[in-house]
Amino acid sequence: MPLLEEKIYTIEAIYALPEGKRAELIDGKIYYMAPPSRKHQDISGELYADIKSYIRSHGGDCKVYAAPFAVYLDEATNTYVEPDISVICNPDKLDDKGCTGAPDWIIEIVSPASRRMDYYTKLFKYRTAGVREYWIIDAAKNQIVVYDFVNGDMAQYTLQDSVKVGIYEDCVIDFGSMDF
């Protein structure tokens, strides 16, 4: 019995989506995204504000973006993602469409529909693309998993902990002080 040929999509399929419809393209497959919950948005907003404040107060050159923000992770494998938070320190990776290449730091906030994608598929994609640091925030599990790909380390925290940011010398995110 012959196998059915699976359609491989390109970035043009993402651009052809109807207004308001969001999806990611990973290895040529389209993954539609559900709207985030209020708690998801609260966590994202708190993180964005803390990171932006840190960068600004330290005269940093890095830029922080919250979803929806286009990251063209790997054109060779047709991979386009919209991480919840992206920090890019190389201005040459940024253009009007988003980021081409690996951001330095990515944060994904887990939703029921994204659990497998965030913990497995994106973990592999981000590591192999050259992301330096990847955080998975899982409010349902009261857990933050931090991957430091540069040093090959992984650590786990709770949503009450303070977490050191690996790409900066003295940046700590205090989850216990956040309002979500």
Side-chain angles (χ1 to χ4, degrees):
M1 170 189 264
L3 294 175
L4 293 175
E5 191 170 308
E6 199 170 297
K7 182 167 172 82
I8 302 296
Y9 293 92
T10 64
I11 195 63
E12 286 75 27
I14 296 293
Y15 288 129
L17 290 174
E19 185 74 27
K21 189 95 162 165
R22 289 182 50 215
E24 294 178 310
L25 180 70
I26 298 177
D27 294 330
K29 294 180 185 174
I30 291 181
Y31 297 89
Y32 293 98
M33 299 164 60
S37 69
R38 183 188 59 79
K39 186 167 189 170
H40 183 284
Q41 289 296 86
D42 285 342
I43 294 169
S44 178
E46 291 275 351
L47 286 166
Y48 176 85
D50 280 4
I51 296 165
K52 180 79 171 182
S53 175
Y54 174 85
I55 292 169
R56 182 173 286 149
S57 70
H58 287 75
D61 294 327
C62 299
K63 298 286 189 180
V64 60
Y65 298 94
F69 178 72
V71 174
Y72 303 92
L73 202 56
D74 182 4
E75 283 185 55
T77 63
N78 288 317
T79 299
Y80 160 95
V81 293
E82 292 184 3
D84 291 306
I85 303 284
S86 301
V87 177
I88 297 99
C89 299
N90 180 348
D92 294 336
K93 291 182 178 182
L94 296 170
D95 62 24
D96 286 342
K97 290 184 177 183
C99 175
T100 301
D104 294 87
W105 178 21
I106 288 178
I107 300 172
E108 293 286 7
I109 302 162
V110 175
S111 62
S114 73
R115 185 171 303 283
R116 181 172 172 73
M117 183 72 71
D118 294 339
Y119 278 102
Y120 299 103
T121 306
K122 288 184 177 179
L123 171 65
F124 174 77
K125 282 299 194 186
Y126 294 158
R127 183 178 58 226
T128 57
V131 171
R132 293 168 50 198
E133 187 165 353
Y134 175 41
W135 290 18
I136 302 171
I137 299 173
D138 193 333
K141 291 184 175 182
N142 188 37
Q143 175 177 277
I144 304 159
V145 182
V146 174
Y147 292 94
D148 174 351
F149 296 136
V150 173
N151 296 306
D153 293 333
M154 187 271 283
Q156 290 185 326
Y157 302 90
T158 71
L159 292 175
Q160 292 73 44
D161 291 332
S162 292
V163 181
K164 165 92 173 65
V165 178
I167 68 166
Y168 294 115
E169 283 291 315
D170 60 350
C171 182
V172 174
I173 304 291
D174 181 5
F175 284 88
S177 72
M178 292 184 177
D179 182 24
F180 53 79

